Amino acid sequence: MTGATIKRDLRTGRSVWADSPGLGVPVQGLTQAISVDVCIVGAGISGAFMAHELSRDYSVAVLDRRPPLMGSTVASTAMLQWEIDLPLTALGDKIGAKNAARAWRRSRSALDDLKQIVARERIVCSLKDKGSLYLAGDEYGHRALEAEAGARAALGLESRYFGPAELRELYGMERTGAIVSEGSASADPARLAAGLLRRAGANGAKVYSPVEALEVLGDPDGVTLTTDAGVVVRARKVVFCCGYEFPKVVPTPDAEVISTWAMASKPRAACPAWLRDMLVWEASDPYLYFRMGGDGRLIVGGEDEADPVAHEDRAKLKRKCATIAGKLKRLLPEVEFEFDYSWAGAFGESTTGLPSIGPVPGLEQAWSVMGFGGNGITYSVIASQIVAAEVRGGRDPDADLYRS
């Protein structure tokens, strides 16, 4: 067997987060067989939240074929939103209005939980509260956004519709409408994951890297993982947090891996003052999104393609960045920027915009976490809560929303 998870080249170029300070995570080689309560496969943001939560009560081992954080996590643009890719009204058409309301409310509360974890654990990761500005586009126009804002507000989700005159006056942008919401945030995703793994380490969790899980064998008492280190890991429970390198034993019929592109400007880009406090994205396909970093960098991305390997093309990286920069300049002509970093990566999408979190079919005592959509970090929080509840013998009330 060549590995328990699918292997992908997850990113191309160099992300701005790769040069962040404070990314050190203690790791060790796997030199002898170990036995733990929980084995987590994957040391990115999902694995970090999972290790942080479970290490409070259990012995935990985290395995990764790469160094910690160096998969999709370092390619994230870390727009920490509670707004799901699929609007509340559209999600209701797919899974029912009550379930859509539960999913949106859970996403909102998860972002509050994330902020509380960062504050309680004193994790330095440039976390900043932000609003969100969702612009009308070719997928959802101003009428759809006006209805969407009303549906959200009816659930108590802080959203307000702005017409074109208000949008022009307050934000200097020409669009037919937008939704402004509160309660989102931004952060450095690599520093966030590193901080969580260090806190888990303080609770006794150990990170083993580079170690690849080759085969996973379940029995009524637990799970045995064979590894490329030539030794086995025995665990009572195993959780796959492998990002877009899905476990081979988990079907993903309603999801696909695509490619996405992003850039970061040099520090102190000349931007309007309001942009320091807002995340901006648009209801278009392909869509544009952007925000400011704590050091005054403009971080912008989009131009997604339904191709899992297109991001590997370095020539395409240059072309995509030029397209993204052109779109941004047309939307905000007064913005002046010079780009310092550019990167591309694999990205998972589902038909509902919701993640897949649940038991692995045919493998007792095993769970998989696949954080599809633009809310991957928010979904990592939800996944840690759902899986932890089940490991502890309980059940999360929203678990059914995220079953494949």
Side-chain angles (χ1 to χ4, degrees):
M1 191 171 179
T2 58
T5 63
I6 295 167
K7 290 183 180 179
R8 301 185 195 277
D9 288 330
L10 292 173
R11 52 191 175 82
T12 303
R14 187 163 183 82
S15 156
V16 63
W17 318 120
D19 292 331
S20 294
L23 300 188
V25 175
V27 300
Q28 51 193 287
L30 189 62
T31 58
Q32 60 186 14
I34 59 171
S35 179
V36 291
D37 293 325
V38 183
C39 178
I40 297 168
V41 181
I45 192 69
S46 294
F49 271 110
M50 194 70 65
H52 172 264
E53 177 62 31
L54 290 173
S55 64
R56 293 161 50 196
D57 301 311
Y58 302 101
S59 60
V60 171
V62 183
L63 313 183
D64 203 309
R65 62 164 63 110
R66 297 181 180 84
L69 332 173
M70 291 299 146
S72 295
T73 296
V74 80
S76 169
T77 50
M79 293 189 24
L80 308 182
Q81 294 174 276
W82 51 265
E83 296 163 286
I84 295 171
D85 284 355
L86 203 62
L88 173 62
T89 47
L91 185 59
D93 292 338
K94 285 186 175 288
I95 66 173
K98 287 185 178 179
N99 285 338
R102 280 202 294 144
W104 272 73
R105 281 179 169 145
R106 183 57 181 267
S107 186
R108 179 68 184 85
S109 66
L111 201 48
D112 286 341
D113 294 340
L114 184 157
K115 294 174 185 178
Q116 289 170 13
I117 290 168
V118 170
R120 184 175 65 246
E121 299 289 1
R122 299 181 180 179
I123 296 173
V124 178
C125 60
S126 302
L127 182 71
K128 178 177 170 57
D129 286 324
K130 298 215 171 168
S132 173
L133 183 60
Y134 185 41
L135 303 171
D138 59 24
E139 274 205 313
Y140 298 100
H142 65 96
R143 291 185 182 87
L145 262 58
E146 190 167 12
E148 172 73 7
R152 292 187 198 175
L155 294 180
L157 300 171
E158 314 97 311
S159 301
R160 181 185 164 202
Y161 176 75
F162 280 26
E166 229 175 344
L167 190 59
R168 187 183 309 113
E169 180 183 353
L170 294 175
Y171 300 107
M173 287 187 284
E174 296 291 339
R175 284 292 173 97
T176 56
I179 296 174
V180 177
S181 61
E182 302 301 324
S184 291
S186 64
D188 179 327
R191 295 179 80 186
L192 173 58
L196 290 164
L197 287 171
R198 288 195 296 267
R199 300 304 184 271
N203 290 334
K206 292 181 170 57
V207 180
Y208 297 91
S209 168
V211 176
E212 182 167 3
L214 297 179
E215 193 170 10
V216 186
L217 306 169
D219 59 65
D221 297 321
V223 181
T224 300
L225 296 91
T226 65
T227 69
D228 63 348
V231 296
V232 301
V233 175
R234 178 69 181 170
R236 292 198 302 112
K237 318 282 185 183
V238 63
V239 189
F240 290 98
C241 297
C242 309
Y244 309 125
E245 294 185 304
F246 308 138
K248 292 177 180 177
V249 293
V250 179
T252 55
D254 298 320
E256 62 177 346
V257 173
I258 65 172
S259 293
T260 190
W261 287 263
M263 299 180 290
S265 76
K266 292 187 174 181
R268 297 175 293 283
C271 291
W274 61 262
L275 188 51
R276 299 190 196 102
D277 300 312
M278 299 295 286
L279 311 176
V280 186
W281 55 310
E282 59 175 357
S284 295
D285 186 16
Y287 74 113
L288 176 76
Y289 60 89
F290 52 95
R291 70 171 179 90
M292 295 297 291
D295 56 358
R297 292 183 191 271
L298 180 64
I299 298 164
V300 54
E303 281 301 294
D304 298 359
E305 269 191 29
D307 183 333
V309 297
H311 68 88
E312 297 174 17
D313 185 339
R314 290 187 175 274
K316 180 168 280 191
L317 173 61
K318 189 173 182 179
R319 294 196 301 273
K320 288 284 189 178
C321 288
T323 300
I324 291 169
K327 282 186 171 183
L328 180 64
K329 195 68 177 173
R330 286 191 293 275
L331 188 63
L332 288 174
E334 76 276 21
V335 171
E336 296 293 334
F337 54 85
E338 182 180 349
F339 283 106
D340 204 12
Y341 291 85
S342 62
W343 67 97
F347 181 72
E349 282 191 329
S350 70
T351 55
T352 59
L354 297 178
S356 173
I357 304 164
V360 173
L363 189 61
E364 289 187 57
Q365 315 301 333
W367 289 262
S368 66
V369 173
M370 291 176 282
F372 303 123
N375 306 65
I377 295 176
T378 308
Y379 289 155
S380 294
V381 177
I382 296 173
S384 69
Q385 295 167 340
I386 288 174
V387 173
E390 295 179 7
V391 167
R392 292 174 179 133
R395 184 167 178 82
D396 188 287
D398 294 325
D400 60 295
L401 292 171
Y402 310 104
R403 298 295 196 238
S404 298

